[in-house]
Amino acid sequence: MNENTIFDKIIRREIPADIVFEDDICLAFRDIQPQAPIHILVIPKRVIAGVQYATHDDMDLLGHLLIAAKQIAEEQGISADGYRLAINAGDHGGQTVEHLHIHLLGGRPMQWPPG
Ligand code: AMP
């Protein structure tokens, strides 16, 4: 398991990030290349390389991440208008960092289908 992704370095505070939420299980920080007025990444502190590697043992963790993302959306004031949660998995999914993360995007209307 690779514990040296850029996100692990953010968890260990080896590189800076604009952290908006943290608890024992997860960390959330602003994406460095925001694709919307609000673009936050919610990541588990425990390394899972991507959702494609998750198992039944990760069910509580995945639920925790979703509830955290929902709470952050409320705190960021985008809940009433709506927002998008996205998880990219693997090459065709557009995943570039091998540490599971949920994109929280909001502050503008989203389009469908995505590119
Ligand atoms: P994905 O393409 O789904 O793997 O998403 C990875 C995301 O991480 C991209 O949206 C990047 O802009 C973002 N990212 C990469 N490096 C950093 C960083 N140092 N701080 C914050 N976000 C980052």
Side-chain angles (χ1 to χ4, degrees), residues 6-7 10 15-17 29-35 39 41 87-89 93-99 101 103:
I6 196 101
F7 292 172
I10 289 172
I15 61 169
F29 50 90
R30 293 188 194 281
D31 197 291
I32 206 166
Q33 287 189 293
Q35 303 301 314
H39 186 174
L41 302 172
I87 301 176
N88 298 329
Q95 183 179 4
T96 59
V97 179
E98 291 205 327
H99 184 129
H101 47 284
H103 294 260

Side-chain angles (χ1 to χ4, degrees), residues 64-78:
H64 187 96
L65 295 177
L66 278 177
I67 296 298
K70 170 226 131 123
Q71 286 177 347
I72 294 163
E74 290 168 1
E75 288 167 13
Q76 295 289 323
I78 56 173

Side-chain angles (χ1 to χ4, degrees), residues 14-114:
E14 292 169 9
I15 61 169
D18 187 352
I19 293 169
V20 299
F21 177 84
E22 179 171 23
D23 64 17
D24 290 347
I25 293 168
C26 70
L27 186 70
F29 50 90
R30 293 188 194 281
D31 197 291
I32 206 166
Q33 287 189 293
Q35 303 301 314
I38 301 289
H39 186 174
I40 289 166
L41 302 172
V42 185
I43 70 171
K45 290 186 172 175
R46 176 159 66 79
V47 181
I48 303 175
V51 72
Q52 64 272 44
Y53 302 108
T55 71
H56 282 83
D57 291 341
D58 301 315
M59 285 199 321
D60 286 351
L61 174 62
L62 294 176
H64 187 96
L65 295 177
L66 278 177
I67 296 298
K70 170 226 131 123
Q71 286 177 347
I72 294 163
E74 290 168 1
E75 288 167 13
Q76 295 289 323
I78 56 173
S79 195
D81 285 338
Y83 53 87
R84 179 167 296 166
L85 301 179
I87 301 176
N88 298 329
D91 286 344
H92 282 195
Q95 183 179 4
T96 59
V97 179
E98 291 205 327
H99 184 129
L100 173 64
H101 47 284
I102 299 176
H103 294 260
L104 165 61
L105 297 142
R108 66 166 171 82
M110 300 292 144
Q111 297 182 344
W112 194 263

